[in-house]
Amino acid sequence: GAFSSSFSVLIHPQAEGFKEQGNAFYSKKDYSEAFNYYTKAIDASPKNASYYGNRAATLMMLCRFREALEDSQQAVRLDDCFMKGHLREGKCHLSLGNAMAASRCFQKVLELEPSNREAQQENKNATTLLEFERMAEFSFEKRDFRKVVYCMDRALALASACHRFKILKAECLALLGRYPEAQSVASDILRMDSTNADALYVRGLCLYYEDCIDKAVQFFVQALRMAPDHEKARLACRNAKALKAKKEEGNQAFKNCNYEAAYQLYTEALAIDPNNIKTNAKLYCNRATAGAKLKKLNQAIEDCSSAIKLDDTYIKAYLRRAQCYMDTEQYEEAVRDYEKVYQTEKTSDHKHLLKTAQMELKKSKRKDYYKVLGVGKNATEDEIKKAYRKRALMHHPDRHSAATPEVQKEEEKKFKEVGEAFTVLSDPKKKMRYDNGHDLEDDCGFDGRDFDANNIFRAFFGGHGGGFTFDSSPGIIFLFNVDLFFFFFNLIIKCSRSLFVD
């Protein structure tokens, strides 16, 4: 009776018929129909290991490795010497990323059949997979995310159905700023398993790093609902909420014109999560804006550069840095930034900013007559006159007659420059053309090379005959006859205007 019962399990006519039909469909690569017939065979004879083995092979072809694993395990439970059952179980473990379990299965096959080349090769694959896992874990700790992606690509070539490897790859892609790729991987997993907490976390992470913080928080909360102990999701959720709150607090302080507070709040926000590239780029730019209001222009330039380093497409950071460069008279750098902006967004406003910077650069390469006289660009006519008087007396050659030839030559050069500066800035028309960046040599008949500073000086001070002298020993200047001085002063202004015509 035992024999006949055992024999009936092994050979069940109807079940065998279903199996043969399943084999036929399998040969035609119609795996869905093969699956149906192997299932019928199992239903007819549920204790036959080979039927489970056949259905496992079919499920593997359909990439349904978890179900295939269950069938393989059932097959070897029914028949521990079923070599193909152990082999298929090992392959399923390997495809699912369980290298240790896979290796144990392949070892079992080799015990049953030591010369089995397929088992030998698959065992090597399991060892290789373990090595890639170790490398990835080490690289992740070192924050070498590119290396992790490389390892996971190699691992997935051996374990194509491993969600764990896919998630790790997706997380690292997100940390590298490759958000579309990371989103794609996570979405693929969620299509198969909508409750996968890791995939929900990665989706949230991508949104978080793309500065869509509210949506990100929703995904983190959903991930925590599926897996309450998901530490990464909890940390990311906390960071996202803190970052949003601190940034908004800084923005409000800025709107209230409390720039010191805004600057400090942006600084605190930047310390929350160094990995959030896009949000941190905005925070650096915001802090630069507050810094510019506080006249911390060099720090503002550094902050803009930090923002651009994080996001080299961030137009607002280029514009802010360019303005800071303009304010610090670094016109070449400003032109470079405005050119970058205009190449990206060819608007009339950006064109105007670029032209303005180019004009200021051109002007900066000429002699700066305001600096020569030591006055600001908004100096009044009276301030220009006073500055000329002071600088002309300071650099007059007679005052440096006892100095070395080198000093005398330098002072003579400065004396001439002071005269040139006064000639231009004391004439409203010439001053206007100079301020607008026009070349005075071309348009005004003014040639600094033929300029005689002594004529201006004599006319301004009335010459030696008008009561001006130097005391050569103490180097003290004496001015006499104030009324006569101002008479000649006004006279030289009128003469200079008539001598140089537009």
Side-chain angles (χ1 to χ4, degrees):
F3 177 81
S4 60
S5 172
S6 175
F7 186 79
S8 65
V9 169
L10 294 174
I11 301 175
H12 188 291
Q14 189 182 22
E16 280 294 302
F18 288 139
K19 186 193 81 169
E20 292 302 325
Q21 286 178 282
N23 289 349
F25 281 113
Y26 189 95
S27 298
K28 295 175 185 176
K29 299 184 179 179
D30 188 344
Y31 302 117
S32 295
E33 279 301 309
F35 171 81
N36 291 335
Y37 279 98
Y38 289 140
T39 301
K40 289 178 181 179
I42 289 171
D43 291 341
S45 181
K47 300 295 184 180
N48 190 307
S50 67
Y51 298 165
Y52 287 98
N54 285 7
R55 192 169 70 171
T58 305
L59 286 166
M60 289 168 70
M61 298 306 293
L62 291 168
C63 296
R64 293 160 60 178
F65 292 100
R66 293 188 187 283
E67 296 168 78
L69 177 62
E70 290 175 12
D71 274 359
S72 299
Q73 289 173 329
Q74 179 61 17
V76 297
R77 273 196 293 270
L78 292 169
D79 181 359
D80 189 50
C81 295
F82 184 26
M83 186 269 295
K84 285 186 177 180
H86 289 294
L87 187 61
R88 284 168 187 157
E89 182 187 355
K91 285 184 176 182
C92 289
H93 278 306
L94 192 62
S95 293
L96 292 167
N98 303 319
M100 294 293 287
S103 186
R104 285 194 294 270
C105 293
F106 298 137
Q107 290 291 347
K108 181 68 175 178
V109 173
L110 292 171
E111 288 174 16
L112 296 169
E113 190 179 309
S115 61
N116 190 303
R117 291 187 178 182
E118 190 174 6
Q120 291 171 353
Q121 182 57 51
E122 293 293 357
N123 202 32
K124 287 180 182 178
N125 289 341
T127 302
T128 302
L129 184 61
L130 276 173
E131 184 58 32
F132 281 127
E133 278 193 82
R134 292 193 192 99
M135 286 170 61
E137 185 179 352
F138 177 79
S139 299
F140 192 91
E141 289 176 2
K142 298 292 183 182
R143 303 186 65 77
D144 186 353
F145 302 125
R146 284 186 178 81
K147 185 66 173 291
V148 178
V149 171
Y150 168 82
C151 290
M152 288 300 95
D153 281 338
R154 304 285 83 73
L156 284 164
L158 298 168
S160 60
C162 182
H163 286 180
R164 184 164 47 88
F165 294 166
K166 289 178 181 178
I167 288 295
L168 181 55
K169 176 184 175 179
E171 183 179 0
C172 289
L173 287 170
L175 292 167
L176 290 168
R178 292 160 63 178
Y179 307 121
E181 295 172 76
Q183 288 272 30
S184 177
V185 174
S187 297
D188 285 345
I189 293 172
L190 288 171
R191 271 193 292 272
M192 293 182 281
D193 178 9
S194 63
T195 63
N196 188 297
D198 291 326
L200 290 167
Y201 159 71
V202 170
R203 283 291 304 276
L205 197 64
C206 291
L207 290 164
Y208 170 58
Y209 285 152
E210 289 182 292
D211 202 35
C212 301
I213 293 180
D214 287 333
K215 287 183 179 179
V217 168
Q218 292 175 10
F219 275 97
F220 295 144
V221 169
Q222 197 176 346
L224 288 167
R225 196 176 296 126
M226 298 300 136
D229 59 345
H230 200 297
E231 272 306 309
K232 287 185 177 180
R234 180 177 287 106
L235 176 62
C237 193
R238 186 169 69 239
N239 283 346
K241 289 178 178 178
L243 197 56
K244 183 188 177 189
K246 192 68 72 174
K247 182 184 175 186
E248 288 178 349
E249 199 178 344
N251 290 349
Q252 190 57 51
F254 187 89
K255 287 176 185 175
N256 294 338
C257 300
N258 191 347
Y259 304 125
E260 285 284 3
Y263 191 93
Q264 181 59 33
L265 287 163
Y266 291 139
T267 301
E268 291 171 12
L270 281 164
I272 292 172
D273 186 2
N275 291 323
N276 196 321
I277 293 170
K278 208 152 195 173
T279 302
N280 286 345
K282 291 181 180 180
L283 287 168
Y284 273 119
C285 192
N286 287 2
R287 191 171 74 172
T289 306
K293 291 287 187 182
L294 295 167
K295 305 301 179 186
K296 299 178 178 180
L297 294 176
N298 289 330
Q299 181 60 51
I301 289 170
E302 287 182 22
D303 278 347
C304 289
S305 297
S306 295
I308 291 165
K309 187 176 180 181
L310 293 176
D311 181 2
D312 63 3
T313 66
Y314 192 12
I315 294 299
K316 193 173 180 180
Y318 284 106
L319 288 170
R320 169 59 53 196
R321 187 171 70 175
Q323 184 57 57
C324 291
Y325 280 140
M326 292 290 285
D327 293 341
T328 53
E329 299 184 3
Q330 299 180 66
Y331 299 120
E332 286 189 13
E333 290 82 355
V335 167
R336 184 186 64 232
D337 278 355
Y338 282 134
E339 282 176 341
K340 171 74 174 178
V341 170
Y342 186 61
Q343 286 167 7
T344 306
E345 295 181 1
K346 294 185 182 294
T347 68
S348 56
D349 286 344
H350 294 160
K351 185 176 183 180
H352 174 72
L353 289 168
L354 174 58
K355 284 191 172 293
T356 301
Q358 289 171 332
M359 178 61 73
E360 290 300 322
L361 175 60
K362 179 182 177 183
K363 287 161 62 175
S364 71
K365 291 183 177 179
R366 304 175 310 170
K367 205 172 288 182
D368 188 338
Y369 289 141
Y370 290 101
K371 283 187 178 178
V372 169
L373 291 184
V375 295
K377 292 184 179 179
N378 296 319
T380 64
E381 188 176 349
D382 191 50
E383 287 171 338
I384 289 169
K385 292 172 184 176
K386 288 179 180 178
Y388 169 71
R389 180 170 68 244
K390 178 181 177 182
R391 294 298 174 102
L393 294 172
M394 184 186 302
H395 299 298
H396 194 284
D398 287 354
R399 185 173 187 179
H400 302 279
S401 58
T404 63
E406 291 78 12
V407 172
Q408 288 183 12
K409 187 175 181 180
E410 183 62 27
E411 293 298 326
E412 184 178 348
K413 178 184 176 184
K414 290 179 180 178
F415 178 68
K416 181 179 179 182
E417 287 178 346
V418 168
E420 286 179 20
F422 177 71
T423 300
V424 172
L425 299 184
S426 63
D427 184 317
K429 289 184 179 179
K430 289 184 176 60
K431 182 176 183 296
M432 182 176 70
R433 297 185 70 80
Y434 175 78
D435 288 344
N436 289 334
H438 294 293
D439 294 323
L440 298 175
E441 291 87 346
D442 296 337
D443 300 328
C444 301
F446 177 79
D447 189 348
R449 291 171 298 180
D450 300 326
F451 178 81
D452 189 346
N454 286 303
N455 289 338
I456 296 294
F457 184 85
R458 282 194 294 272
F460 192 94
F461 290 104
H464 290 290
F468 174 79
T469 62
F470 283 103
D471 186 330
S472 59
S473 61
I476 300 175
I477 301 169
F478 296 94
L479 289 174
F480 301 99
N481 196 338
V482 175
D483 292 336
L484 186 61
F485 166 78
F486 282 107
F487 168 78
F488 279 106
F489 174 80
N490 291 323
L491 179 63
I492 186 55
I493 296 300
K494 293 177 182 177
C495 290
S496 66
R497 290 175 182 170
S498 63
L499 285 170
F500 304 102
V501 294
D502 289 300

